[in-house]
């Protein structure tokens, strides 16, 4: 497959001033004129910027700069030596995505800032103003008086223009698996303790902080999302909160000795992004983050395939079913003879059981079966900060890799590899090539990785520079072996899937597994759409039909959605990798609803954002890639509502058949989650559907081409 094509429609560069005056303010407007950016220097020579949207203040004057370790700071004493602007308008085609064509259209301002008292040490500030928001980054060009430096802290401010509503999780160096709190910015201090729930291997930030993507809504209806793009060779950015003045300030994740970044000139920071709109749907539709990432340099991407999969997985979370571990012992070493362990009798990944999953996948058209717990070491994988928990190549005695692989191949199903690293990144890096070779030898083309626990090298954090480099390294190395990566517990995404399109999905948030460990609030997914998913696709693992988990013996546990909302997720929770996470036996109980999961696409030509409000509801329509099939998903929070689906996204003049999967009249996530109806209608681009959605419920629609005979007897919407 050829590299994405670029058509630079218009590129204009202007040098605006050289040795600009002090007090000089540089202004830039977005291509559509809605945004206005002003950049200037304070009297101390500190760079500052401000941003407005349609005349409303979004960011009040906010300072920029960096504190270096054992070196003069990059926070003041600057003069502006040169500024230039340019315009770019191009389109490109992602390997996979929400749309087959993405437009990248912005105006850019670059400033050279010189510290003349420091031997003319200089940096560049690069601002890009899109029609959906602002991005900026620090650049450190190669120069005589600056080679290597260590970042003590980055001081990028986001001074907000009011005490906005904010959807937030506590700042943490190691995990994003928190539940969201919605409050005013000024209320964050009083709510922080309650929000900082227990999570395995967490490191909450002591100075008041929240994580990005951070979603806000102003009193006069502006939506503001702050995040970062293209996070490479740098620590992730968290945001310290000055609750009184509503200022957010960058706080980088430190390394084991407290430093925040090791830099060598001819480099730059990631982009700091502020997506803004007065329409919540535009936040979901934004391509800013992915546009700010570098195009891939992979020559061949034909092996990267959006995937729908099932797996030996959910049975590890529901009571009484099975376990990752094979032996009863709880103290093992890789050198041990695992055939001598005492089988616990409940091992999930046995040859026979995995073959049952393969049969199910083949029968229902799934691409792959994820197998967790196939390899030795699970007896003491968690909580011991142990270096060599897994070797990624040795199966348990009751799992015959060759037999399973051959069986799956004969059925046209892929086995999806699982590499839980137990957060021992050093062990994983040492064994990585052998592990990928093993996958190549067996024809495994995708792997789910995991980083549960405290990181090794000890003292490093999941979101620090060291691990950021580890995750990119794994993605790049995997590409050498034509392997796709789905990473769990990895640093939250920043659009790097454009650069590494084989990094096909990530978890990096509180996903379905927590439905079996305390439950997710019904509003959770409609917040995630505006937060976690802004950075990239999530392996949310939807599709749970048996939502009341007391069915298995999990005391008072339930998945807080209706069955239909689980269907809606396949459209609303965008990912080119989608799991049908429930046990096959539950799909067999509801074959008509299961049909939607079988039909739904995982790669798209186009997407339309029909209704959206963070924390409340989201309705999205998408067209399957290369096919005349459309899918609609709508999800709501704990309140019922009426969704309005406008079918004007359909081509004019054609009649299609829409299959509508809706919550039953009496349905609700807590009382009656499995009540649903399935109805068929004829629809055209003029159709509109007003559809009841239950509390914690959803709506899913599949739309196909139809002949006259198919349409006979069906009601027209
Ligand atoms: C946490 C992951 O999120 C989950 O999906 C996986 O099953 C376990 N770790 C074990 O690797
Ligand atoms: Ca997890």
């Amino acid at each position: 497959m050829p590299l994405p094509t670029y058509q630079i429609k218009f590129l204009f560069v202007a040098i605006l001033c050289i040795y600009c005056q002090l007090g000089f303010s540089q202004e830039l407007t977005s291509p559509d004129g809605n945004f206005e950016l002003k950049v200037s220097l304070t009297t101390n020579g500190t760079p500052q910027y401000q941003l407005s949207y349609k005349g409303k203040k979004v960011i009040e004057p906010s300072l920029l700069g960096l504190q270096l370790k054992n070196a003069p700071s990059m926070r003041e004493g600057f003069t502006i030596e040169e500024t230039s602007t340019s315009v770019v308008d191009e389109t490109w085609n992602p390997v996979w995505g929400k749309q087959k064509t993405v437009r990248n259209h912005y105006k850019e301002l670059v400033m050279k800032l010189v510290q003349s008292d420091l031997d003319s040490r200089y940096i560049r500030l690069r601002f890009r103003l899109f029609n959906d928001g602002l991005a900026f980054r620090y650049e450190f060009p190669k120069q005589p008086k600056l080679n290597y430096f260590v970042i003590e802290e980055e001081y990028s401010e986001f001074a907000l223009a009011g005490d906005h509503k904010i959807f937030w999780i506590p700042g943490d160096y190691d995990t994003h698996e928190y539940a969201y709190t919605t409050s005013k910015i000024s209320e964050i201090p009083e709510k922080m303790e309650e929000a900082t729930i227990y999570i395995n291997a967490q490191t909450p930030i002591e100075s008041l902080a929240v994580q990005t993507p951070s979603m806000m809504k102003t009193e006069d209806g502006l939506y503001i999302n702050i995040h970062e793009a293209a996070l490479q060779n740098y620590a992730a950015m968290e945001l310290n909160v000055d609750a009184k003045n509503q200022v957010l300030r960058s706080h980088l994740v430190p390394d084991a000795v407290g430093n925040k970044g090791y830099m060598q000139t001819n480099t730059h920071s990631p982009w700091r992004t502020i997506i803004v709109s007065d329409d919540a749907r535009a936040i979901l539709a934004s391509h800013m983050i992915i546009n700010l990432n570098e195009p891939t340099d992979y020559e061949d991407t034909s092996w990267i395939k959006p995937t729908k999969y099932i797996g030996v997985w959910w049975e590890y979370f529901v009571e009484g079913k099975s376990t990752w571990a094979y032996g009863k012992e709880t103290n093992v070493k890789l050198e041990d003879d695992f055939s001598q362990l005492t089988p616990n009798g409940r091992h999930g990944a046995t040859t026979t059981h995995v073959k049952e999953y393969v049969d199910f996948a083949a029968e229902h058209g799934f691409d792959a079966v994820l197998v967790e717990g196939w390899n030795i070491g699970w007896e003491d994988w968690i909580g011991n900060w142990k270096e060599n928990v897994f070797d990624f190549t040795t199966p348990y005695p009751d799992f015959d890799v060759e037999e399973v692989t051959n069986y799956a191949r004969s059925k046209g199903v892929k086995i999806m590899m699982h590499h839980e690293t137990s957060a021992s990144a050093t062990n994983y890096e040492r064994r990585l090539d052998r592990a990928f070779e093993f996958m190549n030898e067996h024809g495994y083309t995708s792997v789910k990785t995991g980083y549960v626990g405290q990181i090794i090298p000890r003292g490093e954090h999941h979101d620090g520079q060291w691990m950021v480099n580890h995750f990119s390294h794994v993605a790049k190395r995997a590409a050498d072996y034509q392997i796709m990566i789905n990473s769990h517990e990895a640093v939250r995404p920043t659009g790097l899937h454009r650069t590494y399109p084989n990094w096909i999905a990530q978890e990096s948030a509180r996903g379905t597994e927590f439905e079996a460990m305390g439950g997710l609030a019904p509003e959770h997914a409609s917040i995630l759409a505006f937060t976690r998913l802004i950075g990239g696709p999530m392996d949310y693992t939807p599709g749970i039909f048996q939502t009341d988990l007391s069915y298995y013996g999990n005391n008072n546990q339930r998945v807080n959605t209706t069955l239909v909302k689980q269907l809606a997720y396949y459209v609303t929770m965008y990912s080119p990798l989608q799991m049908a996470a429930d046990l096959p036996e539950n799909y067999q109980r509801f074959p008509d609803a299961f049909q939607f999961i079988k039909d739904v696409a995982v790669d798209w030509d186009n997407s339309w954002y029909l209704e959206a409000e963070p924390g409340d509801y989201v309705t999205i329509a998408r067209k399957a890639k290369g096919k005349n099939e459309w899918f609609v998903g709508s999800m709501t929070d704990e309140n019922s509502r009426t969704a309005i689906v406008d079918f004007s996204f359909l081509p004019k003049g054609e009649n299609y058949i829409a299959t509508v999967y809706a919550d039953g009249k009496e349905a609700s996530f807590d009382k009656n989650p499995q009540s649903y109806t399935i109805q068929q209608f004829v629809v055209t681009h003029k159709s509109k559907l007003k559809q009841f959605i239950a509390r914690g419920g959803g709506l899913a629609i599949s739309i196909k081409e139809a002949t006259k005979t198919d349409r006979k007897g069906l009601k027209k919407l």
Side-chain angles (χ1 to χ4, degrees):
M1 168 160 170
L3 284 174
T5 50
Y6 296 88
Q7 308 143 20
I8 307 231
K9 284 195 207 141
F10 184 47
L11 177 74
F12 167 76
V13 183
I15 306 289
L16 294 170
C17 75
I18 298 181
Y19 300 107
C20 321
Q21 300 296 309
L22 200 71
F24 162 89
S25 156
Q26 178 66 59
E27 289 172 20
L28 191 72
T29 50
S30 55
D32 64 3
N34 282 339
F35 285 96
E36 204 182 341
L37 167 74
K38 280 191 191 153
V39 189
S40 59
L41 291 180
T42 65
T43 46
N44 289 340
T46 303
Q48 67 176 0
Y49 74 103
Q50 54 187 301
L51 181 70
S52 63
Y53 172 75
K54 295 188 180 169
K56 287 181 186 166
K57 285 181 189 163
V58 176
I59 303 287
E60 304 263 21
S62 295
L63 304 179
L64 298 174
L66 296 118
Q67 191 70 40
L68 307 191
K69 194 165 177 199
N70 302 327
S73 92
M74 290 179 174
R75 298 182 72 186
E76 58 198 7
F78 285 106
T79 48
I80 301 171
E81 209 169 79
E82 206 178 286
T83 74
S84 64
T85 58
S86 58
V87 185
V88 167
D89 191 356
E90 64 184 12
T91 57
W92 59 282
N93 306 112
V95 177
W96 43 261
K98 301 172 195 171
Q99 281 178 216
K100 73 169 180 221
T101 306
V102 177
R103 184 176 181 191
N104 182 28
H105 187 198
Y106 60 83
K107 286 196 194 170
E108 182 172 88
L109 165 67
V110 187
M111 299 179 124
K112 181 177 176 186
L113 298 174
V114 181
Q115 290 174 308
S116 39
D117 293 349
L118 296 171
D119 285 333
S120 294
R121 191 175 78 173
Y122 71 99
I123 62 170
R124 282 205 183 93
L125 281 177
R126 188 178 297 269
F127 295 89
R128 285 188 183 166
L129 203 43
F130 299 79
N131 289 340
D132 42 357
L134 172 69
F136 62 85
R137 74 178 184 192
Y138 302 87
E139 297 183 350
F140 312 100
K142 208 168 166 136
Q143 53 193 284
K145 298 292 174 190
L146 186 65
N147 275 326
Y148 301 96
F149 60 99
V150 175
I151 298 175
E152 197 171 282
E153 187 59 281
E154 177 186 319
Y155 288 92
S156 299
E157 284 185 353
F158 306 87
L160 298 155
D163 190 9
H164 309 324
K165 174 158 116 174
I166 177 166
F167 300 86
W168 58 277
I169 54 175
D172 193 300
Y173 298 148
D174 280 292
T175 183
H176 327 102
E177 298 188 353
Y178 287 102
Y180 280 86
T181 302
T182 308
S183 74
K184 295 261 190 199
I185 296 171
S186 61
E187 293 165 344
I188 295 176
E190 70 203 58
K191 299 202 180 275
M192 185 55 81
E193 199 183 321
E194 199 187 327
T196 313
I197 50 178
Y198 169 78
I199 294 168
N200 174 269
Q202 67 195 139
T203 312
I205 298 179
E206 278 164 23
S207 53
L208 192 72
V210 296
Q211 301 195 33
T212 75
S214 174
M215 186 67 217
M216 286 168 273
K217 186 179 183 186
T218 71
E219 251 167 25
D220 52 0
L222 280 193
Y223 299 87
I224 305 173
N225 183 288
I226 298 182
H227 189 37
E228 63 180 305
L231 171 60
Q232 301 233 54
N233 195 18
Y234 205 87
M237 178 180 73
E238 315 245 358
L239 296 170
N240 273 134
V241 182
D242 173 347
K244 214 167 114 217
N245 301 304
Q246 289 100 46
V247 179
L248 305 177
R249 268 189 207 93
S250 55
H251 174 123
L252 302 182
V253 175
D255 76 346
V257 295
N259 294 328
K260 301 206 162 181
Y262 298 87
M263 312 292 284
Q264 183 176 2
T265 51
N266 190 17
T267 190
H268 51 74
S269 73
W271 294 97
R272 277 62 187 97
T273 60
I274 310 167
I275 304 173
V276 185
S277 180
D278 49 13
D279 183 341
R281 297 173 304 173
I283 305 288
L284 302 181
S286 171
H287 295 294
M288 211 171 103
I289 301 271
I290 195 165
N291 273 328
L292 289 161
N293 278 269
E294 293 301 318
T296 186
D297 63 3
Y298 298 174
E299 275 174 24
D300 175 17
T301 54
S302 60
W303 50 276
I304 301 172
K305 297 214 169 21
T307 300
K308 215 188 294 176
Y309 73 105
I310 58 169
V312 187
W313 182 73
W314 187 237
E315 58 182 72
Y316 296 142
F317 291 85
V318 300
E319 210 48 51
K321 283 273 171 195
S322 57
T323 61
W324 285 275
Y326 162 83
K328 277 188 181 160
E329 291 75 358
T330 52
N331 175 358
V332 297
K333 286 204 171 118
L334 283 177
E335 307 80 79
D336 293 349
D337 179 355
F338 278 73
S339 66
Q340 297 306 306
L341 297 188
T342 325
N344 70 14
R346 292 202 296 138
H347 182 218
T350 66
T351 306
T352 322
H353 194 43
V354 173
K355 280 164 102 178
E356 288 164 7
Y357 273 87
V358 169
D359 287 339
F360 187 81
E363 186 185 339
H364 298 285
F366 287 89
D367 305 304
V369 175
L370 164 73
V371 185
E372 294 201 7
W374 68 280
N375 56 328
I376 58 170
W378 287 91
E379 286 70 16
D380 64 355
W381 73 287
I382 198 165
N384 303 310
W385 222 3
K386 198 175 129 174
E387 182 92 24
N388 290 306
V389 183
F390 298 108
D391 69 2
F392 316 103
T393 49
T394 311
Y396 273 126
D398 58 352
F399 183 71
D400 187 330
V401 184
E402 311 303 327
E403 190 179 330
V404 169
T405 307
N406 292 336
Y407 188 73
R409 191 177 294 129
S410 75
K411 298 258 170 174
V413 172
K414 293 266 180 206
I415 298 291
M416 191 180 287
M417 174 51 78
H418 185 225
H419 291 164
E420 173 56 59
T421 67
S422 222
S424 178
T426 39
N427 174 49
Y428 192 39
E429 286 191 7
R430 285 193 290 265
R431 299 179 191 266
L432 194 62
D433 283 277
R434 184 63 205 112
F436 287 160
E437 276 162 24
F438 178 91
M439 287 181 60
N440 278 177
E441 283 156 23
H442 292 88
Y444 290 29
T445 55
S446 61
V447 56
K448 169 175 170 180
T449 61
Y451 295 83
V452 172
Q454 282 180 280
I455 294 293
I456 303 180
R458 297 184 180 83
E460 293 297 336
H461 295 293
H462 284 76
D463 285 8
Q465 186 184 21
W466 198 96
M467 283 303 288
V468 163
N469 287 338
H470 168 83
F471 295 123
S472 297
H473 168 70
V474 171
K476 275 187 275 189
R477 203 81 189 104
D480 294 339
Y481 291 88
Q482 304 206 332
I483 285 169
M484 296 182 275
I485 301 276
N486 163 24
S487 51
H488 279 225
E489 296 86 40
V491 62
R492 75 278 184 290
T494 58
L496 283 174
H497 51 286
R498 178 176 182 190
T499 313
Y500 309 125
N502 63 319
W503 195 351
I504 195 159
Q506 290 186 235
E507 180 192 41
S508 307
R510 200 174 180 83
T512 300
E513 62 184 0
F514 280 94
E515 297 276 23
M517 301 188 285
L520 300 172
E523 65 171 7
H524 184 68
S526 48
I527 298 176
L528 281 183
F530 286 90
T531 52
R532 163 65 185 77
L533 270 75
I534 295 296
M538 178 167 177
D539 185 32
Y540 188 71
T541 67
I544 306 299
F545 282 8
Q546 182 51 50
T547 52
D548 179 356
L549 304 182
S550 57
Y551 177 83
Y552 304 99
N554 295 55
N555 270 338
N556 299 320
Q557 288 282 305
R558 62 165 58 251
V559 175
N560 286 320
T561 74
T562 62
L563 184 151
V564 174
K565 186 175 179 182
Q566 293 286 325
L567 301 181
Y569 283 159
Y570 291 88
V571 185
T572 58
M573 306 298 278
Y574 169 71
S575 179
L577 180 76
Q578 289 284 10
M579 184 177 200
D582 209 343
L583 310 180
E585 64 206 50
N586 293 326
Y587 294 132
Q588 272 149 352
R589 288 162 57 209
F590 302 96
D592 53 355
F594 185 43
Q595 190 61 42
F596 182 84
I597 301 181
K598 290 163 66 170
D599 291 343
V600 70
V602 281
D603 199 14
W604 310 98
D605 273 341
N606 214 342
S607 295
W608 296 267
Y609 301 87
L610 306 181
E611 302 181 299
E613 182 61 28
D616 293 346
Y617 54 84
V618 169
T619 309
I620 299 173
R622 304 193 198 271
K623 178 181 179 295
K625 199 165 207 168
K627 281 189 188 168
N628 278 338
E629 287 178 13
W630 292 259
F631 296 87
V632 179
S634 183
M635 57 185 182
T636 186
D637 60 3
E638 68 285 358
N639 302 308
S640 64
R641 67 182 294 269
T642 303
I644 299 182
V645 180
D646 178 337
F647 289 80
S648 57
F649 55 84
L650 291 173
K652 286 191 181 134
E654 292 291 327
N655 287 285
Y656 299 93
I657 292 185
T659 308
V660 178
Y661 302 75
D663 290 323
K665 277 202 189 72
E666 308 300 325
S668 69
F669 71 95
D670 51 352
K671 302 264 157 47
N672 198 2
Q674 290 171 332
S675 155
Y676 61 86
T677 61
I678 302 176
Q679 279 179 287
Q680 290 199 316
F681 302 97
V682 173
V683 290
T684 69
H685 82 285
K686 287 192 183 144
S687 301
K688 278 203 173 67
L689 172 69
K690 272 174 114 183
Q691 181 61 52
F692 164 77
I693 298 189
R695 293 187 304 113
L699 166 69
I701 307 175
S702 67
I703 303 159
K704 289 191 176 167
E705 288 180 308
T707 62
K708 232 180 181 168
T709 342
D710 297 337
R711 299 194 316 254
K712 216 166 158 203
L714 292 182
K715 202 177 130 192
K716 196 162 183 174
L717 266 189

